[in-house]
Each structure stands twice: as C-alpha cells, then as structure tokens.
Amino acid sequence: MVYAESAFAELVLWQLPKPLAGSLHGYKYRLAYVVNGECVLRYDNEAGKGDHRHFKGKEHPYLFTTPDQLLADFQQDIARWNHENRNA
C-alpha cells in the first residue's frame, strides 16, 4: 500500500494448519510501515517470540484477536506515527 512518495506499507498474512510456537492462533503475519527507506512500525509473530509490535524503536507484546483487528490496530498506529512525525 502506498501512502506517499516516501511511505508505504507491506502486509503479509498466512493462515496456518496449526499455531506457531509462541502464538495461540493459526496465523503468521508480517506488517511493516516504511518511511524514507526505514521501517518505523512493524507487527509480526516470528516462531518462538509470539505476537509483538515494534514502535518507536521498542518491541512491545501484542494481543492478537482477529486478522481484522490486527489490520485496524496497524492502521491506527500508522495514523499515530504520521501525526507524531508530521513536522519531521
């Protein structure tokens, strides 16, 4: 998804036959927001680490409920990042 000439999001979501180690649901996902070539926001659930998001240079646990809520949360964080960095 292109947001601006210098910003885009990549969203990848797979449905799995069984949950990954560290997750309680049957999805594997990677959502990233990239601005000026730098990933400034990422949601993912790599095996063994479980569900988490990277925001403002820190990793935080993420409570996955549904794919729709994951996308809504990601979009909300993009809007937040854009608002907080509008003068940068």
Side-chain angles (χ1 to χ4, degrees):
M1 298 166 112
V2 176
Y3 283 83
E5 188 174 311
S6 60
F8 69 91
E10 178 183 69
L11 296 83
V12 180
L13 175 70
W14 301 271
Q15 187 167 12
L16 304 173
K18 64 180 185 172
L20 289 174
S23 292
L24 300 175
H25 54 80
Y27 295 96
K28 168 78 174 125
Y29 58 88
R30 177 183 74 240
L31 289 73
Y33 184 52
V34 178
V35 179
N36 293 322
E38 177 186 353
C39 182
V40 298
L41 170 65
R42 187 172 78 245
Y43 282 64
D44 64 285
N45 66 332
E46 59 190 273
K49 266 187 128 174
D51 304 293
H52 61 280
R53 71 183 182 116
H54 304 261
F55 190 69
K56 294 187 174 183
K58 295 184 181 175
E59 186 176 307
H60 306 275
Y62 174 70
L63 178 60
F64 180 95
T65 55
T66 66
D68 287 338
Q69 188 61 54
L70 172 69
L71 295 175
D73 292 341
F74 182 62
Q75 292 292 333
Q76 183 177 357
D77 275 349
I78 288 174
R80 177 181 169 193
W81 191 94
N82 286 336
H83 176 76
E84 291 175 358
N85 294 278
R86 66 186 177 274
N87 296 323

